[in-house]
């Protein structure tokens, strides 16, 4: 009986052990109050793209204190913190730093102090987790070997910061990574959960402008004019067939006309109309088909409307293209296993690829031999998630003035996940 009792006690201890005794989990828990203070300060002081000087300064100072070799001003306001710790792979961890031109309406006591600017995408949770991860990696230096490159990236919201850092020779001035990892907070997953997608995770983002030319005139005499509003309307309608009739149903894409502007008055046929379109895709083939198709449809409809060759629509694809984010299979499956073991099945949820854009993709596309992963960390407070029974249409999305993530849950989960991921790749 005694033996059985001690056996049961031992079994109970073993079952309880992983949740309480893991040194990384414990260290993250102990550091959370300090990290929360940093988070609230960053949240109160959001900065717009390429103006993240204060945020970058906080990250740089923290990394310096921990013994990283720190360089600021990379690609504008970017921070690069390098820790060389013996032979082994080079792992790059990235946090983006910019806020958005949004007026915060969360009512939080630590809401934005900068009028019209808000961390509505949660990049403040990314920066804080970056600091937390740097602390853990410095403290656990004996457990890993290799080089850690931690970067604070400017201007993700305008899709320019990653490119700016690479253009500033990120991969030649500093050790070039064999693995790149980042996370993003999620407004569509419960707090403290993790989501990974193998393959395409976020979309190619293109912006297209169309100037639809017509021939203006009096609204009472349409036969004497060429009405650009009717022509542009036809273009908008025919564009809907690019996805529904021309794209393989098993592929994905979006063509949204977000702006249609023309005219000044009831009885005047204007000389032209302007369309602004966002185009989303994953593969290069679908992207090319959609962009070519927009030009073909605009031209074809204008010809059908009787516009002469020198009056056809002017279609301009903007240069600022954000490429699709691709999670490489080897790293994604390694981390899926690692996170499931560490956090349990209940906290590692199946995630879906999204049609949003992320310029994290640039760090992989600069050299596709790199292993790359962007994962999501859920940020919706448990009480809010339960109240709507997980119906995310009833919750504020990221970029909403009401988005207030459960920051403690995001930060503690992200620090643990990022540290565990880096430790696994940099295993001795
Ligand atoms: Zn974001």
């Amino acid at each position: 009986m005694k033996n059985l009792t001690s056996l049961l006690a031992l079994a109970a201890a073993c079952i309880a052990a992983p949740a309480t005794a893991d040194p990384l989990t414990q260290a993250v828990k102990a550091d959370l109050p300090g990290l929360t203070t940093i988070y609230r300060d960053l949240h109160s002081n959001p900065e717009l793209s390429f103006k993240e000087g204060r945020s970058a300064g906080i990250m740089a100072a923290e990394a310096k204190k921990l013994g990283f070799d720190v360089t600021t001003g990379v690609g504008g306001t970017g921070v690069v913190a390098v820790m060389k710790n013996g032979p082994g792979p080079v792992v790059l961890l990235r946090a983006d730093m910019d806020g958005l031109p949004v007026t915060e309406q969360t009512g939080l006591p630590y809401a934005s102090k900068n009028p019209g600017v808000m961390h509505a995408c949660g990049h403040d949770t990314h920066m804080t987790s970056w600091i937390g991860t740097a602390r853990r990696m410095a403290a656990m230096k004996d457990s890993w070997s290799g080089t850690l490159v931690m970067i604070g990236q400017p201007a993700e919201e305008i899709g320019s910061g990653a490119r700016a850092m690479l253009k500033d020779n990120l991969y030649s001035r500093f050790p070039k990574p064999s693995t790149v990892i980042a996370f993003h907070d999620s407004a569509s997953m419960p707090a403290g959960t993790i989501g990974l997608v193998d393959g395409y995770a976020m979309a190619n983002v293109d912006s297209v402008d169309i100037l639809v030319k017509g021939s203006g005139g009096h609204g009472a005499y349409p036969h004497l004019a060429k009405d650009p509003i009717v022509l542009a309307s036809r273009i908008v309608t025919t564009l809907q067939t690019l996805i529904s009739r021309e794209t393989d149903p098993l592929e994905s894409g979006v063509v949204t006309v977000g702006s249609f502007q023309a005219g000044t008055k009831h009885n005047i046929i204007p000389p032209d109309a302007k369309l602004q379109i966002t185009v989303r895709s994953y593969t290069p083939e679908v992207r090319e088909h959609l962009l070519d198709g927009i030009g073909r449809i605009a031209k074809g409809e204008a010809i059908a409307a009787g516009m002469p060759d020198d009056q056809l629509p002017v279609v301009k694809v903007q240069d600022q293209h954000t490429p699709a984010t691709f999670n490489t299979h080897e790293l994604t499956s390694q981390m899926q296993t690692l996170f499931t073991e560490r956090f349990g099945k209940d906290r590692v949820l199946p995630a879906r690829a999204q049609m949003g854009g992320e310029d994290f993709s640039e760090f992989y596309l600069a050299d596709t031999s790199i292993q790359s992963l962007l994962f999501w960390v859920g940020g919706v407070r448990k009480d809010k998630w339960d109240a709507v029974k997980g119906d995310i249409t009833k919750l504020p999305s990221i970029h909403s003035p009401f988005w207030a993530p459960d920051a403690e849950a995001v930060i503690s989960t992200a620090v643990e996940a990022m540290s565990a991921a880096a430790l696994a790749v940099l295993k001795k």
Side-chain angles (χ1 to χ4, degrees), residues 116-168:
V117 186
M118 177 189 174
H119 267 303
C121 204
H123 296 182
D124 43 2
T125 64
H126 304 177
M127 290 187 279
T128 312
S129 303
W130 186 97
I131 290 170
T133 305
R135 289 176 176 176
R136 297 285 58 79
M137 294 306 287
M140 296 175 85
K141 237 177 146 178
D142 291 347
S143 331
W144 57 276
S145 184
T147 299
L148 183 61
V149 181
M150 299 197 60
I151 63 167
Q153 183 211 300
E156 186 281 326
E157 296 295 356
I158 57 169
S160 303
R163 211 176 291 143
M165 289 190 85
L166 288 162
K167 223 175 149 193
D168 203 358

Side-chain angles (χ1 to χ4, degrees), residues 222-384:
H223 57 297
L224 301 178
K226 292 280 184 202
D227 189 339
I229 292 181
V230 174
L231 171 52
S233 302
R234 281 188 193 155
I235 292 171
V236 172
T237 309
T238 309
L239 287 178
Q240 308 310 310
T241 62
L242 271 175
I243 302 295
S244 68
R245 302 292 83 190
E246 294 189 24
T247 304
D248 182 336
L250 300 181
E251 296 282 357
S252 300
V254 178
V255 177
T256 292
V257 180
S259 170
F260 185 140
Q261 292 178 12
T264 53
K265 198 175 183 300
H266 307 70
N267 61 353
I268 298 174
I269 294 170
D272 55 38
K274 294 185 181 86
L275 301 176
Q276 293 184 324
I277 305 167
T278 189
V279 183
R280 309 289 169 119
S281 57
Y282 292 126
T283 67
E285 293 76 21
V286 171
R287 174 177 182 248
E288 201 180 310
H289 180 77
L290 296 179
L291 295 176
D292 287 352
I294 289 170
R296 169 170 49 82
I297 286 168
K299 186 179 168 189
E301 290 294 349
I303 291 170
M307 295 304 295
D309 282 353
D310 60 349
Q311 293 289 327
L312 296 178
V314 180
V315 180
K316 194 175 176 320
V317 180
Q318 288 187 3
D319 294 337
Q320 287 289 8
H321 154 240
T322 302
T325 297
F326 186 80
N327 289 336
T328 53
H329 176 68
E330 195 185 309
L331 182 64
T332 308
S333 56
Q334 184 192 357
M335 292 308 149
Q336 179 86 41
T337 307
L338 181 86
F339 293 161
T340 307
E341 278 169 9
R342 172 164 285 278
F343 297 104
K345 270 188 194 150
D346 294 349
R347 287 179 66 191
V348 183
L349 308 176
R352 286 164 63 98
Q354 298 181 9
M355 277 292 166
E358 239 296 348
D359 70 357
F360 179 67
S361 51
E362 302 276 4
F363 299 113
Y364 163 69
L365 290 170
D367 177 351
T368 54
S369 69
I370 293 171
Q371 287 290 313
S372 178
L373 173 66
L374 175 90
F375 61 94
W376 285 285
V377 175
V380 182
R381 288 181 189 284
K382 197 182 176 310
D383 54 340
K384 291 198 170 147

Side-chain angles (χ1 to χ4, degrees), residues 371-408:
Q371 287 290 313
S372 178
L373 173 66
L374 175 90
F375 61 94
W376 285 285
V377 175
V380 182
R381 288 181 189 284
K382 197 182 176 310
D383 54 340
K384 291 198 170 147
W385 184 267
D386 291 345
V388 301
K389 297 189 176 71
D391 179 356
I392 57 168
T393 62
K394 295 180 176 145
L395 295 167
S397 64
I398 51 170
H399 291 203
S400 156
F402 298 101
W403 172 231
D406 183 341
E408 282 93 334

